[in-house]
Each structure stands twice: as structure tokens, then as C-alpha cells.
Amino acid sequence: MSQRPPAPPSLQELRKEIDAIDEGMHRLLMQRGDIIDRLIQVKQTQEVGSAFRPAREADMMRHIVQRHRGILPLDTVESIWRVIIATFTYVQAPFSVHADLSPGEAAMRDSARFHFGFTVPFISHIGASGVVAAIAASRGDIGLVPAMTATGPWWAALEGGDAPKIIARLPFVERADHPAALPVFGIARPNPDALVTDVACWSIRVSGWSHTVSRALHAEVLALQDGAFDGAALLISVPQGGIEAVTQALVNAGASVRSKALVGSHARRYTVTAEGPVSAGR
């Protein structure tokens, strides 16, 4: 005589399981808070600098994508973790997010709130130069400026050893229909031990700039007229160690490199497609 299959759980039983999971998640968050509290005490005696850790955060987001499965959208998972990370970072060392609203207020606010939540104060600016100036005057604040467009060579203010630097490119995980898809650079006064250096960002001034020269560059470039009619200020993002090839390409195409300065670095772009994660070179 065959046995009957077990009866499916009732709605009440399933809701009890959900309630238990919810309570467990809350307890784990409070435990995380207890550890952060202890961490704060350790950092007061063993570490100086910002609590923001772009290398660690990029690595965490990649691992979340790699292990994620099931019906819960990745957007939701990523946003939950971003709020957890940013809020606990804020608890360790309070900071504000300064954002350039010139590419569109809604898009920039979406990026700031998706990546840093609502606990972290949000300060708006019109123009990237205002953001850079605010970060230069702060100790631990973070600035967000558009990564694909510019109205002025704001990156020139990042030159010099005591200037803020580019420390991140957001979103950490890129994909179609991302709810905070606006590409932005994160700028801060970095802790040298916390940087991720997959991609280096260089401020370069050239003479002899032209469309022919621009087509010779195989790198992500922001270019603006600088001084003389054939001069340009460039912000070039290139895989670590690749700047010499870029400057040689400029020279080979007919440009003269007047100056170059390292103005930051960030994690390699990590893209998720329908076929799965793809790590891009820059």
C-alpha cells in the first residue's frame, strides 16, 4: 500500500517560518552592530582615516552577485546590502554625501540613496567643482560626480598629494535596467590602505587634440578644451599599469603630452548580463 505524500504546510505554518526568519535577520543586524561598536573602539587606537572601504565594498558586492539565486530580484538584494554597509560605515565615522545635480536631480539622488541610503546626509551642488571643493574642505565626506560628462575639468583639482582622489566608480555592479544606473565617480580623502587600484584615473593635459587623436585612445576618456584652441584636459581611466601605452598612443596620433598626474583609482567594472557576471577591464 503506497504512502500518501505529506500534506503541504498551511499558510499559518509558512507565515511562522517567515516571522522566525525576520526575527533572525533582525538579531543578526543587531549582532553586526555590536561588532561594529567593538570595531570603533579598536579603530580609535589602531587606525586613522575614513571608515569608507571601496575595495572591501566592491568585493562584497561581487560575492553577493555570485551567490545570489531565487525569486528575489538582484536589485533588491544589492540595495539592502548597500544600505547596511553605508549605514554601519556612517555609524563608525559620520559623513555626508555631496552630489552634483547637473546631470539630473532625479538620477543623481537615485544613485546617492541607492548606494548610501537615507541615514547619510545628502548635500546637493550644481557643478562638479563645488562637490570637489566641499570634499577638499571635509575630513570624511564623499562626493558623487558624473563619470561620462563634464562641463569643466574638475579632476584637475584632484592633482597633488594632499588633494581628494577618485576612490570608486558606481554602480559597483552594472546591468541593464539598474535602478541607479547613472555612472558616477566617488571622490574622497582616501585611506591609502583601503584603496582598490584595478583601474587608475589620470589627469592629462595635451596639445594637438583632435578627433583623430581621440579615436586613437582605447580607454574611457573625458575630454574638455583647455587653454589654446588645440589643447585639452583629459580624465583617462585605464587598467593599472596601462598609462604608458595611452600616452604613447597620444604621441603616435600627433598630440603632445604637457602633463599627467594620478588622480585616483577604482574597482574594475563588474557587469551582470542574462548569461551571468562579466568582469570588464575598466
Side-chain angles (χ1 to χ4, degrees):
M1 185 175 181
S2 61
Q3 294 182 339
R4 291 183 178 180
S10 66
L11 287 176
Q12 185 176 9
E13 290 172 328
L14 293 174
R15 285 169 180 156
K16 283 183 178 180
E17 288 187 38
I18 291 174
D19 289 343
I21 291 171
D22 289 346
E23 181 180 349
M25 290 192 297
H26 188 200
R27 290 186 182 278
L28 287 172
L29 285 173
M30 291 188 290
Q31 288 177 25
R32 196 182 198 278
D34 291 340
I35 295 173
I36 293 296
D37 194 25
R38 289 155 49 197
L39 184 66
I40 292 171
Q41 303 306 315
V42 171
K43 285 189 173 185
Q44 286 177 349
T45 59
Q46 297 184 12
E47 189 176 80
V48 295
S50 171
F52 190 67
R53 294 291 180 270
R56 177 170 168 76
E57 293 192 19
D59 188 60
M60 289 175 66
M61 300 317 301
R62 289 170 181 162
H63 280 88
I64 286 170
V65 171
Q66 289 167 359
R67 69 170 177 255
H68 183 63
R69 62 178 179 80
I71 64 172
L72 185 63
L74 179 59
D75 291 341
T76 303
V77 176
E78 184 183 2
S79 65
I80 289 172
W81 251 264
R82 286 303 319 155
V83 169
I84 291 172
I85 294 169
T87 302
F88 278 118
T89 301
Y90 177 78
V91 169
Q92 292 180 60
F95 66 94
S96 296
V97 172
H98 298 258
D100 172 16
L101 301 188
S102 59
E105 180 174 355
M108 187 58 82
R109 283 187 180 273
D110 283 349
S111 179
R113 291 315 187 194
F114 183 91
H115 292 101
F116 297 98
F118 286 87
T119 301
V120 179
F122 179 89
I123 301 174
S124 60
H125 300 260
I126 300 299
S129 60
V131 173
V132 174
I135 301 307
S138 74
R139 183 176 181 180
D141 289 358
I142 294 173
L144 302 181
V145 299
M148 304 301 289
T149 60
T151 57
W154 53 263
W155 51 87
L158 307 184
E159 298 178 9
D162 60 344
K165 295 289 182 283
I166 294 169
I167 63 169
R169 189 185 191 281
L170 304 175
F172 284 112
V173 181
E174 298 183 355
R175 56 189 176 277
D177 301 322
H178 193 292
L182 180 68
V184 299
F185 285 124
I187 300 170
R189 291 190 172 279
N191 183 317
D193 297 330
L195 293 176
V196 56
T197 58
D198 297 341
V199 177
C201 300
W202 290 84
S203 173
I204 297 181
R205 292 181 177 88
V206 300
S207 298
W209 181 252
S210 66
H211 290 297
T212 301
V213 176
S214 68
R215 287 195 296 268
L217 295 179
H218 300 289
E220 187 174 283
V221 181
L222 279 176
L224 290 170
Q225 183 175 332
D226 179 37
F229 71 93
D230 69 340
L234 313 178
L235 175 62
I236 297 182
S237 301
V238 62
Q240 192 65 240
I243 191 59
E244 295 306 324
V246 169
T247 55
Q248 189 60 54
L250 285 167
V251 172
N252 291 344
S256 297
V257 177
R258 289 157 36 200
S259 67
K260 66 177 180 179
L262 183 65
V263 293
S265 61
H266 60 78
R268 184 180 297 108
R269 291 162 63 181
Y270 193 71
T271 303
V272 176
T273 66
E275 289 72 34
V278 178
S279 185
R282 56 181 181 270

